[in-house]
Coordinates of all heavy atoms in Angstrom, one line a residue:
M206 N -20.7 -2.0 -1.0 CA -20.1 -1.3 -2.1 C -21.2 -0.4 -2.9 O -20.8 0.7 -3.3 CB -19.4 -2.2 -3.1 CG -18.5 -1.6 -4.1 SD -17.1 -0.7 -3.3 CE -16.1 -2.1 -2.7
H207 N -22.3 -1.0 -3.0 CA -23.4 -0.2 -3.8 C -23.7 1.1 -3.0 O -24.0 2.0 -3.6 CB -24.6 -1.1 -4.0 CG -25.1 -1.7 -2.7 ND1 -24.4 -2.6 -1.9 CD2 -26.3 -1.6 -2.1 CE1 -25.1 -3.1 -1.0 NE2 -26.3 -2.4 -1.0
Q208 N -23.7 1.0 -1.7 CA -24.1 2.2 -0.9 C -22.9 3.2 -0.9 O -23.2 4.5 -1.0 CB -24.4 1.8 0.5 CG -25.6 0.9 0.7 CD -25.7 0.3 2.1 OE1 -24.7 -0.4 2.5 NE2 -26.8 0.4 2.7
L209 N -21.7 2.7 -0.8 CA -20.5 3.6 -0.9 C -20.5 4.4 -2.1 O -20.3 5.6 -2.2 CB -19.3 2.8 -0.7 CG -19.1 2.2 0.7 CD1 -18.0 1.2 0.7 CD2 -18.9 3.2 1.8
I210 N -20.7 3.7 -3.3 CA -20.7 4.4 -4.6 C -21.8 5.3 -4.7 O -21.7 6.5 -5.2 CB -20.7 3.4 -5.8 CG1 -19.5 2.4 -5.7 CG2 -20.8 4.0 -7.1 CD1 -18.2 3.1 -5.9
H211 N -23.0 5.0 -4.2 CA -24.1 5.9 -4.4 C -24.0 7.1 -3.5 O -24.2 8.3 -4.0 CB -25.4 5.2 -3.9 CG -26.6 6.0 -3.7 ND1 -27.3 6.5 -4.9 CD2 -27.3 6.5 -2.7 CE1 -28.3 7.2 -4.5 NE2 -28.3 7.2 -3.1
Y212 N -23.5 7.0 -2.3 CA -23.4 8.1 -1.4 C -22.2 9.0 -1.6 O -22.2 10.2 -1.4 CB -23.5 7.7 0.1 CG -24.8 7.2 0.5 CD1 -25.0 5.9 1.0 CD2 -26.0 8.0 0.5 CE1 -26.2 5.4 1.4 CE2 -27.2 7.5 0.9 CZ -27.3 6.3 1.3 OH -28.6 5.8 1.7
L213 N -21.1 8.3 -1.9 CA -19.8 9.0 -1.9 C -19.2 9.3 -3.3 O -18.3 10.1 -3.5 CB -18.8 8.2 -1.1 CG -19.2 7.9 0.3 CD1 -18.1 7.0 1.0 CD2 -19.6 9.1 1.1
G214 N -19.8 8.6 -4.4 CA -19.2 8.9 -5.7 C -17.9 8.1 -6.0 O -17.6 7.2 -5.3
E215 N -17.2 8.6 -7.0 CA -16.0 7.9 -7.4 C -14.7 8.6 -7.0 O -13.8 7.9 -6.8 CB -16.0 7.8 -9.0 CG -17.0 6.9 -9.6 CD -16.9 6.7 -11.1 OE1 -15.9 7.3 -11.6 OE2 -17.8 6.2 -11.7
D216 N -14.7 9.9 -6.9 CA -13.5 10.6 -6.4 C -13.4 10.6 -4.9 O -13.6 11.5 -4.2 CB -13.6 12.1 -6.9 CG -13.4 12.2 -8.4 OD1 -12.8 11.3 -9.1 OD2 -14.0 13.2 -9.0
V217 N -13.0 9.4 -4.5 CA -12.9 9.1 -3.1 C -12.0 8.0 -2.8 O -11.9 7.1 -3.7 CB -14.3 8.8 -2.5 CG1 -14.9 7.6 -3.2 CG2 -14.2 8.5 -1.0
V218 N -11.2 8.0 -1.7 CA -10.4 6.9 -1.3 C -11.2 6.0 -0.4 O -11.7 6.4 0.7 CB -9.2 7.4 -0.6 CG1 -8.4 6.2 0.0 CG2 -8.3 8.3 -1.5
L219 N -11.5 4.8 -0.9 CA -12.3 3.8 0.0 C -11.2 3.0 0.7 O -10.6 2.1 0.2 CB -13.1 2.9 -0.9 CG -14.2 3.6 -1.7 CD1 -15.0 2.6 -2.6 CD2 -15.2 4.4 -0.8
Q220 N -11.0 3.3 2.0 CA -10.0 2.7 2.8 C -10.6 1.6 3.6 O -11.1 1.8 4.7 CB -9.3 3.8 3.6 CG -8.1 3.3 4.4 CD -7.4 4.5 5.0 OE1 -6.8 5.3 4.4 NE2 -7.3 4.5 6.4
F221 N -10.4 0.3 3.1 CA -10.9 -0.8 3.8 C -9.8 -1.4 4.7 O -8.9 -2.0 4.2 CB -11.4 -1.9 2.7 CG -12.5 -1.5 1.9 CD1 -12.2 -0.9 0.6 CD2 -13.8 -1.7 2.3 CE1 -13.3 -0.6 -0.2 CE2 -14.9 -1.4 1.4 CZ -14.6 -0.8 0.2
G222 N -9.9 -1.0 5.9 CA -8.8 -1.5 6.9 C -9.1 -2.9 7.3 O -8.7 -3.9 6.8
G223 N -10.1 -3.0 8.4 CA -10.5 -4.3 8.8 C -11.2 -5.0 7.8 O -11.2 -6.4 7.8
G224 N -11.8 -4.4 6.8 CA -12.5 -4.9 5.7 C -11.6 -5.6 4.7 O -12.0 -6.2 3.7
T225 N -10.3 -5.5 4.9 CA -9.3 -6.2 4.1 C -8.5 -7.1 5.0 O -8.4 -8.3 4.6 CB -8.3 -5.1 3.4 OG1 -9.0 -4.2 2.6 CG2 -7.2 -5.8 2.6
I226 N -7.9 -6.6 6.0 CA -7.1 -7.4 6.9 C -7.9 -8.5 7.6 O -7.4 -9.6 7.9 CB -6.4 -6.5 8.0 CG1 -5.5 -5.5 7.3 CG2 -5.6 -7.3 8.9 CD1 -5.0 -4.4 8.2
G227 N -9.2 -8.3 7.8 CA -10.0 -9.2 8.5 C -10.5 -10.4 7.7 O -11.2 -11.3 8.2
H228 N -10.1 -10.4 6.4 CA -10.6 -11.5 5.6 C -10.1 -12.8 6.1 O -8.9 -12.9 6.4 CB -10.2 -11.2 4.1 CG -10.9 -12.1 3.1 ND1 -10.6 -13.4 2.9 CD2 -11.8 -11.8 2.2 CE1 -11.3 -13.9 2.0 NE2 -12.1 -13.0 1.5
P229 N -10.9 -13.8 6.1 CA -10.5 -15.1 6.6 C -9.3 -15.8 5.9 O -8.6 -16.6 6.4 CB -11.8 -16.0 6.5 CG -12.7 -15.4 5.5 CD -12.3 -13.9 5.7
Q230 N -9.2 -15.4 4.6 CA -8.0 -15.9 3.9 C -6.8 -15.0 3.8 O -5.9 -15.2 2.9 CB -8.5 -16.3 2.5 CG -9.5 -17.4 2.4 CD -9.0 -18.7 3.1 OE1 -7.9 -19.1 2.9 NE2 -9.8 -19.3 4.0
G231 N -6.9 -13.9 4.5 CA -5.7 -13.0 4.6 C -5.9 -11.7 3.8 O -6.9 -11.5 3.1
I232 N -4.9 -10.9 3.8 CA -4.9 -9.6 3.2 C -5.1 -9.6 1.7 O -5.8 -8.8 1.2 CB -3.7 -8.8 3.7 CG1 -3.6 -8.6 5.2 CG2 -3.6 -7.4 3.0 CD1 -2.4 -7.9 5.7
Q233 N -4.4 -10.4 1.0 CA -4.4 -10.4 -0.4 C -5.8 -10.8 -0.9 O -6.4 -10.1 -1.8 CB -3.4 -11.4 -1.0 CG -3.4 -11.5 -2.5 CD -2.4 -12.3 -3.1 OE1 -1.4 -12.7 -2.5 NE2 -2.5 -12.7 -4.4
A234 N -6.5 -11.8 -0.2 CA -7.8 -12.1 -0.6 C -8.7 -11.0 -0.2 O -9.7 -10.8 -1.0 CB -8.2 -13.4 0.2
G235 N -8.5 -10.3 0.8 CA -9.4 -9.1 1.2 C -9.3 -8.1 0.2 O -10.4 -7.5 -0.2
A236 N -8.1 -7.8 -0.3 CA -7.9 -6.8 -1.3 C -8.6 -7.2 -2.6 O -9.3 -6.4 -3.3 CB -6.5 -6.5 -1.6
E237 N -8.5 -8.5 -3.0 CA -9.2 -9.0 -4.2 C -10.7 -8.9 -4.1 O -11.4 -8.4 -5.0 CB -8.7 -10.4 -4.5 CG -9.4 -11.0 -5.7 CD -9.0 -12.4 -6.0 OE1 -8.0 -12.9 -5.3 OE2 -9.6 -13.1 -6.8
A238 N -11.2 -9.2 -2.9 CA -12.7 -9.1 -2.8 C -13.1 -7.7 -2.9 O -14.2 -7.4 -3.6 CB -13.1 -9.6 -1.4
N239 N -12.5 -6.8 -2.3 CA -12.9 -5.3 -2.4 C -12.8 -4.9 -3.8 O -13.7 -4.1 -4.4 CB -12.0 -4.5 -1.6 CG -12.3 -4.8 -0.1 OD1 -13.4 -5.1 0.4 ND2 -11.2 -4.6 0.8
R240 N -11.7 -5.2 -4.6 CA -11.6 -4.8 -6.0 C -12.7 -5.3 -6.8 O -13.2 -4.6 -7.7 CB -10.1 -5.1 -6.5 CG -9.8 -4.7 -7.9 CD -10.0 -3.1 -8.0 NE -9.7 -2.7 -9.3 CZ -8.5 -2.2 -9.8 NH1 -7.5 -2.2 -9.0 NH2 -8.3 -1.9 -11.0
V241 N -13.0 -6.6 -6.7 CA -14.0 -7.2 -7.5 C -15.3 -6.6 -7.3 O -16.1 -6.3 -8.2 CB -14.0 -8.8 -7.4 CG1 -15.2 -9.4 -8.1 CG2 -12.7 -9.4 -7.9
A242 N -15.6 -6.4 -6.0 CA -16.9 -5.8 -5.6 C -17.0 -4.4 -6.2 O -18.1 -4.0 -6.8 CB -17.0 -5.7 -4.2
L243 N -15.9 -3.6 -6.2 CA -16.0 -2.3 -6.7 C -16.2 -2.3 -8.3 O -17.1 -1.6 -8.8 CB -14.6 -1.5 -6.4 CG -14.4 -0.2 -7.1 CD1 -15.5 0.8 -6.6 CD2 -13.1 0.4 -6.8
E244 N -15.4 -3.1 -9.0 CA -15.5 -3.2 -10.4 C -16.9 -3.7 -10.9 O -17.4 -3.2 -11.8 CB -14.4 -4.0 -11.0 CG -13.0 -3.4 -10.8 CD -12.0 -4.1 -11.6 OE1 -12.2 -5.1 -12.2 OE2 -10.8 -3.6 -11.6
A245 N -17.4 -4.6 -10.2 CA -18.8 -5.2 -10.4 C -19.8 -4.1 -10.3 O -20.7 -4.0 -11.2 CB -19.1 -6.4 -9.6
M246 N -19.7 -3.3 -9.3 CA -20.7 -2.3 -9.1 C -20.6 -1.2 -10.1 O -21.6 -0.7 -10.6 CB -20.5 -1.7 -7.6 CG -21.8 -1.1 -7.1 SD -23.1 -2.3 -7.0 CE -22.5 -3.6 -6.0
I247 N -19.4 -0.8 -10.4 CA -19.2 0.3 -11.4 C -19.7 -0.2 -12.8 O -20.4 0.5 -13.5 CB -17.8 0.7 -11.5 CG1 -17.3 1.4 -10.3 CG2 -17.5 1.6 -12.7 CD1 -18.0 2.7 -9.9
F248 N -19.4 -1.5 -13.1 CA -19.9 -2.0 -14.4 C -21.4 -2.0 -14.4 O -22.1 -1.7 -15.5 CB -19.3 -3.5 -14.6 CG -19.8 -4.1 -15.8 CD1 -19.0 -3.9 -17.0 CD2 -20.9 -4.9 -15.9 CE1 -19.5 -4.6 -18.2 CE2 -21.3 -5.6 -17.0 CZ -20.6 -5.4 -18.2
A249 N -22.0 -2.4 -13.3 CA -23.6 -2.5 -13.3 C -24.1 -1.1 -13.4 O -25.1 -0.8 -14.1 CB -24.0 -3.1 -12.0
R250 N -23.5 -0.2 -12.8 CA -24.0 1.3 -12.9 C -23.9 1.8 -14.3 O -24.9 2.4 -14.8 CB -23.2 2.1 -11.9 CG -23.7 3.6 -11.9 CD -22.6 4.5 -11.5 NE -21.5 4.5 -12.4 CZ -20.4 5.2 -12.2 NH1 -20.2 5.9 -11.1 NH2 -19.4 5.1 -13.1
N251 N -22.7 1.5 -14.9 CA -22.5 2.0 -16.3 C -23.4 1.3 -17.3 O -23.8 1.8 -18.4 CB -21.0 1.8 -16.7 CG -20.1 2.7 -15.9 OD1 -20.5 3.6 -15.2 ND2 -18.9 2.5 -16.0
A252 N -23.9 0.1 -16.9 CA -24.8 -0.6 -17.8 C -26.2 -0.2 -17.6 O -27.2 -0.7 -18.3 CB -24.6 -2.1 -17.5
G253 N -26.5 0.7 -16.7 CA -27.9 1.2 -16.5 C -28.6 0.4 -15.4 O -29.8 0.7 -15.3
D254 N -28.0 -0.4 -14.7 CA -28.7 -1.2 -13.6 C -28.9 -0.3 -12.5 O -28.2 0.7 -12.2 CB -27.8 -2.4 -13.2 CG -28.6 -3.4 -12.4 OD1 -29.7 -3.1 -11.9 OD2 -28.0 -4.5 -12.2
D255 N -30.0 -0.5 -11.7 CA -30.3 0.2 -10.5 C -29.4 -0.4 -9.4 O -29.9 -1.3 -8.6 CB -31.8 0.1 -10.1 CG -32.2 0.9 -8.9 OD1 -31.3 1.4 -8.2 OD2 -33.4 1.0 -8.5
Y256 N -28.2 0.0 -9.4 CA -27.2 -0.7 -8.5 C -27.5 -0.5 -7.0 O -27.1 -1.4 -6.2 CB -25.8 -0.2 -8.9 CG -25.5 1.2 -8.6 CD1 -24.8 1.5 -7.3 CD2 -25.8 2.2 -9.4 CE1 -24.5 2.8 -7.0 CE2 -25.5 3.5 -9.1 CZ -24.9 3.8 -7.9 OH -24.6 5.2 -7.6
L257 N -28.1 0.6 -6.7 CA -28.3 0.8 -5.2 C -29.4 -0.2 -4.8 O -29.2 -0.8 -3.7 CB -28.8 2.2 -5.0 CG -29.1 2.6 -3.5 CD1 -27.9 2.4 -2.6 CD2 -29.7 4.0 -3.4
Q258 N -30.5 -0.3 -5.5 CA -31.5 -1.3 -5.1 C -31.1 -2.7 -5.3 O -31.5 -3.5 -4.5 CB -32.8 -0.9 -6.1 CG -34.0 -1.9 -5.8 CD -34.5 -1.6 -4.3 OE1 -34.5 -0.5 -3.8 NE2 -35.1 -2.7 -3.7
N259 N -30.3 -2.9 -6.3 CA -30.0 -4.3 -6.7 C -28.6 -4.6 -6.3 O -28.0 -5.7 -6.6 CB -30.1 -4.6 -8.2 CG -31.5 -4.3 -8.7 OD1 -32.5 -4.5 -8.0 ND2 -31.7 -3.8 -9.9
G260 N -28.0 -3.9 -5.4 CA -26.6 -4.1 -5.0 C -26.3 -5.5 -4.4 O -25.4 -6.1 -4.9
P261 N -27.1 -6.0 -3.5 CA -26.8 -7.3 -3.0 C -26.8 -8.4 -4.1 O -25.9 -9.3 -4.1 CB -27.9 -7.6 -1.9 CG -28.2 -6.2 -1.5 CD -28.1 -5.3 -2.7
E262 N -27.7 -8.3 -5.0 CA -27.8 -9.3 -6.1 C -26.5 -9.2 -7.0 O -26.0 -10.2 -7.5 CB -29.1 -9.1 -6.8 CG -30.3 -9.5 -6.1 CD -30.8 -8.5 -5.1 OE1 -30.2 -7.4 -5.2 OE2 -31.6 -8.8 -4.3
I263 N -26.2 -8.0 -7.3 CA -24.9 -7.8 -8.1 C -23.7 -8.3 -7.5 O -22.9 -9.0 -8.2 CB -24.8 -6.2 -8.4 CG1 -25.9 -5.6 -9.2 CG2 -23.4 -5.9 -9.1 CD1 -25.9 -4.1 -9.3
L264 N -23.6 -8.2 -6.2 CA -22.4 -8.7 -5.5 C -22.5 -10.2 -5.4 O -21.5 -10.9 -5.6 CB -22.4 -8.1 -4.1 CG -22.0 -6.6 -4.0 CD1 -22.2 -6.1 -2.5 CD2 -20.6 -6.4 -4.4
A265 N -23.7 -10.7 -5.2 CA -23.8 -12.2 -5.2 C -23.5 -12.8 -6.5 O -22.8 -13.8 -6.6 CB -25.3 -12.6 -4.8
R266 N -23.8 -12.1 -7.7 CA -23.5 -12.7 -9.0 C -22.0 -12.6 -9.2 O -21.4 -13.6 -9.7 CB -24.1 -11.9 -10.1 CG -25.7 -12.1 -10.2 CD -26.2 -11.7 -11.6 NE -25.9 -10.3 -11.8 CZ -26.8 -9.3 -11.5 NH1 -28.0 -9.6 -10.9 NH2 -26.4 -8.0 -11.7
A267 N -21.3 -11.5 -8.8 CA -19.9 -11.4 -8.9 C -19.1 -12.5 -8.0 O -18.1 -13.0 -8.4 CB -19.5 -10.0 -8.6
A268 N -19.7 -12.7 -6.9 CA -19.1 -13.7 -6.0 C -19.1 -15.1 -6.5 O -18.3 -16.0 -6.0 CB -19.8 -13.7 -4.6
K269 N -19.9 -15.4 -7.4 CA -19.9 -16.8 -8.0 C -18.6 -17.1 -8.7 O -18.3 -18.3 -8.8 CB -21.1 -16.9 -9.0 CG -22.5 -16.9 -8.4 CD -23.6 -17.1 -9.4 CE -24.9 -17.1 -8.7 NZ -26.0 -17.2 -9.7
N270 N -18.0 -16.1 -9.2 CA -16.7 -16.3 -9.9 C -15.5 -15.8 -9.1 O -14.4 -15.6 -9.7 CB -16.8 -15.6 -11.3 CG -17.8 -16.2 -12.2 OD1 -17.9 -17.4 -12.4 ND2 -18.7 -15.4 -12.8
C271 N -15.7 -15.4 -7.9 CA -14.6 -14.9 -7.0 C -14.8 -15.4 -5.6 O -15.6 -14.8 -4.8 CB -14.7 -13.3 -7.0 SG -13.4 -12.6 -6.1
T272 N -14.0 -16.4 -5.3 CA -14.2 -17.0 -4.0 C -13.9 -16.0 -2.8 O -14.6 -16.0 -1.8 CB -13.3 -18.2 -3.9 OG1 -13.7 -19.2 -4.8 CG2 -13.4 -18.9 -2.5

Side-chain angles (χ1 to χ4, degrees):
M206 195 63 72
H207 52 298
Q208 298 167 304
L209 293 169
I210 297 300
H211 172 73
Y212 289 121
L213 308 179
E215 291 184 9
D216 289 333
V217 57
V218 176
L219 299 177
Q220 186 169 296
F221 298 91
T225 302
I226 299 171
H228 193 283
Q230 296 303 313
I232 295 174
Q233 181 174 342
E237 181 180 346
N239 293 329
R240 181 59 181 264
V241 171
L243 175 63
E244 293 190 357
M246 206 57 60
I247 294 297
F248 181 85
R250 184 205 61 184
N251 292 349
D254 197 344
D255 184 354
Y256 68 94
L257 180 62
Q258 180 66 29
N259 301 328
E262 290 78 12
I263 295 169
L264 292 172
R266 288 199 302 268
K269 291 180 180 179
N270 298 310
C271 180
T272 299

